[in-house]
Amino acid sequence: MNKDVQVVVVTPDAALGKKAVACPVIYLLHGYGGNAKTWIGVKPDLPQIADEKGIIFVCPDGKNSWYWDSPKDPSYRYETFVSSELVKYIDGHYKTIADRKGRAITGVTTTTCTSLFMEGLLTNKVSTLAAKEGATNINNKAANRKFLFFIIRI
């Protein structure tokens, strides 16, 4: 996108140092009105979970874009940023399992729908998609039902 995007990365101790081991990555997308620090506020024990489970958590700021690419504003290309640029950056700068089997993506509320769209872009990059409290279809009011949580292994 040719701009700085704030991203919070929570890294387990296992992924650091000379004896670092490759860890799986979970990309956590915030909802509308959130930012890169939202997940830390929602789940303040994320660093402890990262250490206990050996997981790297990546929380990118998607502004209020719903992580979609704007057809009008090239500075709002958050779908491309997460699905391509960010994955490459994280794999290049952290000790990750740099394979789709080592990646998952999830979102809250509106970003759930975005996660579903991104799954198409990320088919070769992630193995698991999880969603919480999101609208499954923003174009069809009858189908715009909330669900609590689901996980799809792709």
Side-chain angles (χ1 to χ4, degrees):
M1 277 195 307
N2 296 320
K3 70 177 187 178
D4 291 337
V5 177
Q6 187 177 31
V7 178
V8 172
V9 180
V10 180
T11 309
D13 290 339
L16 303 172
K18 293 181 181 181
K19 294 185 180 183
V21 297
C23 294
V25 180
I26 299 178
Y27 293 85
L28 302 174
L29 307 182
H30 64 75
Y32 189 85
N35 59 51
K37 297 176 184 175
T38 296
W39 278 96
I40 295 296
V42 169
K43 196 73 174 163
D45 58 342
L46 213 51
Q48 290 81 11
I49 295 169
D51 282 335
E52 289 170 12
K53 305 294 183 185
I55 297 170
I56 298 170
F57 293 101
V58 179
C59 312
D61 187 2
K63 301 286 183 195
N64 288 332
S65 69
W66 296 321
Y67 294 95
W68 289 353
D69 286 350
S70 169
K72 296 182 179 183
D73 185 350
S75 72
Y76 269 68
R77 309 275 307 159
Y78 288 94
E79 186 173 355
T80 299
F81 172 72
V82 172
S83 67
S84 181
E85 298 170 36
L86 185 58
V87 171
K88 287 177 189 172
Y89 180 88
I90 295 297
D91 284 346
H93 289 81
Y94 295 89
K95 188 72 172 175
T96 67
I97 298 172
D99 182 82
R100 67 183 297 275
K101 293 177 184 174
R103 297 187 197 105
I105 188 169
T106 187
V108 175
T109 65
T110 307
T111 57
T112 300
C113 188
T114 304
S115 294
L116 295 170
F117 285 109
M118 280 189 170
E119 181 273 324
L121 288 175
L122 296 171
T123 299
N124 295 323
K125 295 182 184 168
V126 300
S127 65
T128 304
L129 163 70
K132 182 178 187 292
E133 298 177 5
T136 57
N137 184 336
I138 64 170
N139 294 320
N140 182 342
K141 290 182 181 178
N144 195 5
R145 299 215 165 66
K146 295 230 178 198
F147 49 90
L148 294 178
F149 188 79
F150 74 86
I151 297 175
I152 300 174
R153 187 160 302 273
I154 50 178

